[in-house]
Amino acid sequence: MVASAGIPMYDIPFVSIGGGMGSFVTVDYLRVYGVPTSQMRVISNIDHPWQTYEFLTRCSQIPRGERIRSDSSSRPDNLWGFPSYALEEAWKDKNPAYLWQLFTEPLLNDYWTPRAGTVFENLEREAKRINYWDMLVKGQVRMVRRRAGGGYFTVVTPPEGAAPTKRIVFRSRFVHIAVGYPGLKFLPDLQEFRTKYSDYQHVVNAYEPHEQVYEFLKTRPGTVVIRGGGIVASRVLQRLFDDRKKFGLKTQIIHIFRTFVTGSHGPHVWSRRKGGDGWAYQGFNYPKSVWGGQLKAEMRKLEGAERAAKYKQMGGTNTPYRRHWQEQMRAGREGGYYHAVQGTVDRVERTEDGRLVSYVRSSDGIIREPVSDYIIDCTGLEADISEHRVFADLLQNSGAYRNPVGRLEVERHFEVKGTASGDGALYASGSATLGGYFPGVDTFLGLQIAAQEISDDLARRGFVRKMGPLRSTAQWFKWVFNSPV
Amino acid sequence: MTDQGFGVVRPLPGNGLVAHVGGLLLVCDAAEAVAEDLLGAVRETAASGGDGRALARRVAQVLAAMMGEPVACAVAGHVPEGVAVLVSGQASASVTGSGGEVHLAGRDALTWSDRLVPGPVTRVELRLPDAGSAHRFARLDGGVISGGGVQWDPSETGEAAQPPMRAAQPAPAPVQAPPMPSMGAGPGPAPGPSMAPDWGPPPMEPAGPPMEQRPGPVMEPAPAGPPPYPLGPADPYPPAGPPMEQQAPAPQGWHSEPMPAAPSQGPGSGPAPAVPSHEDVDTARANGMGGDPIDVHNESFEYELLTPGAPGPSGTAPDMPMMPEPEARPLVYGVDCKNDHFNDPRVPYCAVCGIALVQRTLVPYKGPRPPLGVLLLDDGMTLRLDTDYLLGRDPERAPEVAEGAVRPAKVTSPDGSVSRRHLRVALDGWDVNLVDLGSVNGTQIQPPGDPNFYDIPPNEPVTIAPGTTVRIGVSRTMRYESHRNN
């Protein structure tokens, strides 16, 4: 029917939608497992898999030369995780101190993390090795629908002029969706400010380009309000402190935490998280037992409300403890230029002289009205999954439903529940699946674990050969020598 | 609050809010914070003698201010030629008019749906998803109650329903309309040639005059040139305000898409600044500038926008909203995010709400251009890029400033290396261009990430990217920064 309508249709057994880190990691696994490029397509509107990730890290003050804040217990370009980034950087930089740091973390040293640039360069190398670009199809995915005879149709709008028709369709047995965050969600009061004053420069989100803030502060003393207590807030804060020192600036910083953590917290003595000065600290993005320990085992069995409760217990905004940055904050408090307060912001207005006044209400009833030159929103809210048209369509038309924390409910092997179609399967990985049986899905390691589960499931279904130790070792050597899979 | 004039209104049971004020109906989700604003819109519209069209317009403004959050609500009210209805979110409406029954569901629309159903209308029903059915004895002659919907039979009491509640019928509004001066003025109704013909007293000044005065023109120029793309068929933006009045001729011409870029709040597009003619807007980015430049040097001061009306180079920046922002922001091709915020088609995330733009098929259309970013001078002066600038030692006497085509920005340097008319910053579409005006010491740019400065040729536009540093003459520099840096 589709074909008779004049819409070109392509038969490709496995289609991955997204084209970011999630798609990359998944097709990387499958390539290593032995799937030829002709059997897979990645449909995306970005040119290389790390594009979005790089944009967001760069905006949030982690350019290529800076170290990312996540731990390095995995690497997305290498499914074996060995050699680690630390070994590689130690080798390349001829700097054994990295290794010393690894042995002494986290007691004597902070956790070691790789440079953003290292991550991107390795991704590029691996993408070339697996012929990633042979599989990439540029286009806008409109929807994925089940096909009557099993499998799925993926409807795509190709870039203008790239195809004779406005739509093309992929018919496939398996579809993988990894479209990432539907987007950010700027705080409502900040959105209001922007539209009301048509001012996009003074109230900014940490995930969008906002260099003007730092540049302005170099020209004259100013005050900045930071909102949010997560990783990005810590990085923005560090940039402000660094600039202050480097250029001898007089920047004043007011930091507003909605939840102000004053000390260790948690339900009982074995499950505590360190905190203080407003922050909740964590050595890793996630409790380490998520990856293979008791938390993973426990979460795997939980359903519904219990699972949601567990997520809530381990969740919440938190930030890795970093010694350097802690010292900067201490100096800031002592020097009287860093002020952390608890409160929620009711609204932001412009003052007569063009500055910004925030109306902040604290839980103790005190109302503060700090005046600043800039406001940086570091809350990093994410939009609801239904804000993405593909997910919205799945939820509405294809039997998919939400998990206890509101995202897409997936099986332990990352098949989207309720969407099976004949002998086909629809998988999803990445942040859209947060809240499932496996926590930590929106990290590098999480993506890899999802990719592994998906590959193994595809092996069970006969789409690809099972991966045994011998073949895996052989593939690892190919990785080492950068020879094609 | 009786049925006089506008038939019988029956509430449907449910958990939302139902309001009936002077023949204007509202049904909305009570849990929404915006319910209060919506009720306010109904009351104010009734108080000022507005009709269904005015109501829908006000409600559209309220919804636009919600940044695209889906709000379940529906409103309806008379217009001279029938009934105007607007629905949003989970709400739905059905109207039986001369052309049969019309169904509208908020879910089908990206923003909201509205319709003008030509009369005579025999039945109107607004519902929230949980609405029950009406009891035949239930009536809501006026006021606000809990409920899930409302059913309105304009014909039931026998009265024609259509032009019922005109000036002569002040009754409905009294609810909260102390300030209805003109109400009593029966003669009012047939005031202007153009405005809502015989609909109540001339709508109150505040909202009305500027646009109402413009009977004819509003519509035709509106289409803003022939957009090559189909979207926003008739008029991408004019809707913000004007459409209502002289819409009469084309009953169906009452669009919903309008107000794409939340123009409602935009000082530039709201009702006030009688938008001259759209062509002007389109071509000239004439912001009616001209006027006192700001002396950056003497005032150690920053500064936001320099505008004519601005309080001169005092030590403080003028308040933006006050600023006579360019009344006519130039129109450029851009795209809406899924929450209907107008954006540069090249950016990955919406500049207003943050949602990813890449997930939709983007259909460009012409809309008022938001600020492109800022120029930050080395002394802290900040120039918002919403218009062209002329930088120099003595810019205010330049002819282009006198014509009002550009805003002057005074930049001086102790070594005298800045020419009188040194550099023009010309905005073109979504790009920022520099044109060195044949200055003595020239202009140099340092692209982002490049350690070197490069001369730009005189009198030729050069497009710069965000993060570019510009050297004006020998010793002054500025940077171009933008949230659109992708």
Side-chain angles (χ1 to χ4, degrees):
Chain A
M1 199 172 84
V2 175
S4 64
I7 302 175
M9 185 163 68
Y10 301 91
D11 277 314
I12 299 286
F14 182 92
V15 165
S16 179
I17 298 167
M21 298 297 293
S23 286
F24 175 77
V25 167
T26 306
V27 297
D28 186 38
Y29 262 78
L30 290 171
R31 291 284 288 130
V32 171
Y33 268 57
V35 182
T37 54
S38 60
Q39 300 287 297
M40 299 194 284
R41 285 294 175 269
V42 175
I43 307 171
S44 174
N45 39 36
I46 56 178
D47 297 314
H48 43 268
W50 57 93
Q51 197 165 321
T52 305
Y53 181 71
E54 183 170 8
F55 174 81
L56 294 175
T57 48
R58 177 168 58 91
C59 291
S60 54
Q61 302 308 310
I62 307 180
R64 284 194 167 220
E66 287 287 332
R67 298 192 175 276
I68 61 175
R69 294 233 144 184
S70 317
D71 67 84
S72 54
S73 51
S74 72
R75 46 186 301 171
D77 61 304
N78 174 336
L79 60 90
W80 303 272
F82 181 85
S84 67
Y85 282 126
L87 282 175
E88 181 184 331
E89 281 197 17
W91 177 257
K92 282 188 179 160
D93 294 2
K94 304 285 181 279
N95 185 353
Y98 296 161
L99 303 180
W100 171 247
Q101 186 178 343
L102 285 190
F103 287 121
T104 55
E105 71 181 15
L107 296 177
L108 301 181
N109 266 303
D110 291 330
Y111 283 107
W112 190 89
T113 64
R115 285 193 196 94
T118 305
V119 176
F120 303 136
E121 284 155 22
N122 279 297
L123 285 170
E124 186 165 1
R125 169 188 183 265
E126 179 69 358
K128 282 183 185 149
R129 192 177 77 91
I130 63 165
N131 295 325
Y132 177 82
W133 285 282
D134 290 354
M135 298 179 281
L136 180 66
V137 175
K138 293 293 291 288
Q140 190 73 248
V141 175
R142 302 182 63 87
M143 63 183 85
V144 178
R145 292 282 174 89
R146 284 188 279 197
R147 180 176 163 266
Y152 306 85
F153 284 123
T154 303
V155 183
V156 179
T157 306
E160 211 168 318
T165 52
K166 287 196 149 190
R167 307 269 180 277
I168 55 174
V169 171
F170 287 87
R171 180 167 60 186
S172 48
R173 195 177 148 201
F174 303 106
V175 173
H176 169 239
I177 303 181
V179 294
Y181 300 96
L184 308 168
K185 189 173 180 188
F186 293 173
L187 291 170
D189 60 298
L190 302 187
Q191 290 191 33
E192 190 185 328
F193 180 89
R194 285 194 160 194
T195 41
K196 184 170 170 191
Y197 297 108
S198 198
D199 177 351
Y200 294 71
Q201 307 302 330
H202 290 89
V203 173
V204 301
N205 187 284
Y207 283 103
E208 66 177 350
H210 59 279
E211 277 297 305
Q212 75 273 11
V213 178
Y214 309 108
E215 288 299 324
F216 173 85
L217 294 170
K218 288 181 197 169
T219 63
R220 66 185 55 223
T223 303
V224 178
V225 162
I226 292 182
R227 290 169 59 174
I231 275 186
V232 174
S234 76
R235 195 63 194 81
V236 164
L237 204 49
Q238 189 178 335
R239 166 84 191 257
L240 291 168
F241 286 134
D242 285 349
D243 277 7
R244 205 172 190 285
K245 189 169 177 196
K246 192 170 165 190
F247 302 102
L249 310 181
K250 298 270 180 284
T251 311
Q252 287 279 331
I253 301 159
I254 298 165
H255 192 159
I256 303 172
F257 289 88
R258 196 180 48 175
T259 309
F260 196 92
V261 180
T262 51
S264 295
H265 52 290
H268 57 80
V269 72
W270 296 114
S271 172
R272 305 256 293 169
R273 184 154 66 201
K274 286 189 175 175
D277 302 318
W279 307 83
Y281 297 125
Q282 206 151 70
F284 277 69
N285 279 353
Y286 269 88
K288 216 167 180 181
S289 60
V290 153
W291 308 120
Q294 61 186 40
L295 202 47
K296 178 179 177 185
E298 200 178 336
M299 194 67 90
R300 229 174 148 78
K301 287 183 234 131
L302 296 180
E303 297 286 350
E306 287 183 352
R307 206 197 308 161
K310 193 75 191 168
Y311 267 99
K312 194 164 180 203
Q313 182 191 327
M314 59 178 269
T317 308
N318 54 74
T319 308
Y321 187 95
R322 290 280 181 271
R323 285 171 171 77
H324 172 57
W325 158 70
Q326 287 292 327
E327 278 155 26
Q328 289 180 317
M329 284 201 300
R330 201 171 308 124
R333 280 191 295 272
E334 285 165 10
Y337 55 85
Y338 173 64
H339 317 269
V341 298
Q342 186 278 330
T344 50
V345 180
D346 287 342
R347 65 184 192 281
V348 175
E349 288 180 1
R350 278 192 87 89
T351 62
E352 289 279 304
D353 61 356
R355 300 179 80 207
L356 312 166
V357 56
S358 304
Y359 294 86
V360 187
R361 183 194 308 276
S362 295
S363 51
D364 55 10
I366 299 175
I367 294 185
R368 294 182 177 86
E369 297 180 6
V371 176
S372 63
D373 297 287
Y374 287 93
I375 294 175
I376 305 179
D377 163 23
C378 304
T379 50
L381 289 179
E382 289 163 33
D384 185 84
I385 57 167
S386 65
E387 296 268 320
H388 197 288
R389 79 196 301 181
V390 174
F391 287 133
D393 184 71
L394 279 181
L395 292 170
Q396 199 170 3
N397 300 310
S398 298
Y401 55 97
R402 291 173 187 265
N403 67 24
V405 305
R407 310 232 182 151
L408 210 54
E409 176 77 336
V410 293
E411 293 284 0
R412 290 168 183 82
H413 58 276
F414 290 88
E415 179 178 353
V416 181
K417 285 192 185 178
T419 60
S421 173
D423 64 350
L426 178 73
Y427 303 96
S429 56
S431 72
T433 63
L434 188 74
Y437 299 105
F438 174 74
V441 289
D442 54 352
T443 62
F444 285 165
L445 186 52
L447 290 174
Q448 288 188 301
I449 286 174
Q452 175 128 31
E453 295 280 358
I454 292 168
S455 302
D456 288 345
D457 190 53
L458 288 170
R460 277 192 292 276
R461 293 169 187 262
F463 176 64
V464 62
R465 282 168 57 203
K466 282 199 165 51
M467 177 66 86
L470 286 181
R471 212 153 68 86
S472 178
T473 311
Q475 284 292 341
W476 180 78
F477 275 106
K478 286 185 176 178
W479 182 89
V480 171
F481 295 110
N482 198 20
S483 49
V485 287
Chain B
M1 302 122 202
T2 67
D3 56 337
Q4 17 180 337
F6 26 88
V8 174
V9 174
R10 301 183 198 289
L12 312 181
N15 301 321
L17 276 181
V18 175
H20 172 202
V21 183
L24 302 176
L25 302 174
L26 162 75
V27 174
C28 69
D29 186 338
E32 303 268 10
V34 73
E36 201 176 339
D37 295 345
L38 293 170
L39 284 171
V42 175
R43 292 192 172 121
E44 285 167 30
T45 310
S48 59
D51 60 356
R53 193 179 265 135
L55 173 64
R57 229 185 75 201
R58 290 195 76 119
V59 168
Q61 283 174 348
V62 172
L63 296 177
M66 288 302 292
M67 312 297 167
E69 294 285 324
V71 175
C73 83
V75 297
H78 282 297
V79 290
E81 47 296 29
V83 167
V85 207
L86 177 152
V87 298
S88 146
Q90 295 287 313
S92 59
S94 67
V95 181
T96 311
S98 58
E101 195 172 5
V102 176
H103 283 282
L104 281 183
R107 265 171 316 178
D108 298 342
L110 285 173
T111 51
W112 53 82
S113 290
D114 52 42
R115 195 69 62 83
L116 193 152
V117 183
V121 170
T122 50
R123 191 175 141 275
V124 176
E125 187 172 294
L126 310 179
R127 308 178 66 96
L128 293 175
D130 63 348
S133 51
H135 190 281
R136 68 195 170 95
F137 293 130
R139 283 181 74 133
L140 176 63
D141 292 334
V144 182
I145 58 167
S146 295
V150 66
Q151 212 176 60
W152 174 28
D153 290 306
S155 53
E156 199 161 310
T157 46
E159 302 217 27
Q162 244 60 329
M165 83 155 238
R166 43 179 53 199
Q169 209 75 266
V175 197
Q176 42 38 267
M180 30 197 314
S182 60
M183 248 352 195
S194 67
M195 34 183 75
D198 58 347
W199 179 251
M204 302 286 11
E205 287 56 347
M211 45 198 160
E212 265 136 23
Q213 300 311 17
R214 333 178 30 235
V218 193
M219 238 18 209
E220 333 77 277
Y229 301 89
L231 177 72
D235 44 334
Y237 45 95
M244 66 184 273
E245 270 62 34
Q246 78 315 338
Q247 211 61 268
Q252 223 33 321
W254 200 57
H255 319 85
S256 64
E257 287 104 315
M259 14 196 23
S264 53
Q265 311 87 318
S269 45
V275 184
S277 103
H278 290 283
E279 286 99 321
D280 297 354
V281 182
D282 201 354
T283 51
R285 32 186 87 107
N287 297 321
M289 297 306 143
D292 307 334
I294 288 172
D295 183 334
V296 184
H297 244 80
N298 308 338
E299 297 303 321
S300 61
F301 224 107
E302 67 241 30
Y303 211 94
E304 258 335 294
L305 307 223
L306 339 166
T307 41
S314 69
T316 54
D319 190 4
M320 290 248 209
M322 303 299 199
M323 299 213 352
E325 184 162 297
E327 11 219 84
R329 287 189 282 164
L331 299 179
V332 292
Y333 280 105
V335 294
D336 274 352
C337 79
K338 74 182 288 293
N339 299 323
D340 298 330
H341 301 124
F342 190 65
N343 276 282
D344 181 342
R346 297 167 298 189
V347 301
Y349 298 97
C350 172
V352 175
C353 65
I355 197 76
L357 281 167
V358 290
Q359 56 158 317
R360 325 178 70 194
T361 310
L362 302 169
V363 186
Y365 69 96
K366 273 193 168 183
R369 180 175 61 201
L372 298 185
V374 287
L375 293 176
L376 270 171
L377 276 94
D378 50 11
D379 59 0
M381 178 166 79
T382 306
L383 307 176
R384 181 167 71 183
L385 291 169
D386 54 354
T387 184
D388 284 15
Y389 285 92
L390 182 75
L391 279 66
R393 195 173 73 230
D394 186 18
E396 59 269 38
R397 277 188 263 160
E400 51 271 63
V401 171
E403 290 164 13
V406 300
R407 253 182 228 157
K410 187 164 182 167
V411 180
T412 56
S413 74
D415 55 16
S417 65
V418 178
S419 298
R420 288 171 193 282
R421 280 171 76 253
H422 195 109
L423 177 68
R424 176 159 177 165
V425 179
L427 310 186
D428 179 18
W430 296 94
D431 288 333
V432 176
N433 294 321
L434 300 182
V435 185
D436 180 273
L437 301 169
S439 66
V440 177
N441 292 296
T443 303
Q444 296 183 310
I445 58 170
Q446 180 191 29
D450 192 322
N452 303 312
F453 277 90
Y454 304 93
D455 286 321
I456 63 170
N459 302 311
E460 260 181 53
V462 175
T463 303
I464 55 172
T468 299
T469 303
V470 181
R471 186 181 290 153
I472 309 162
V474 176
S475 56
R476 297 300 308 273
T477 58
M478 66 178 181
R479 265 179 87 101
Y480 163 41
E481 292 294 351
S482 174
H483 56 285
R484 301 174 304 116
N485 184 5
N486 49 355

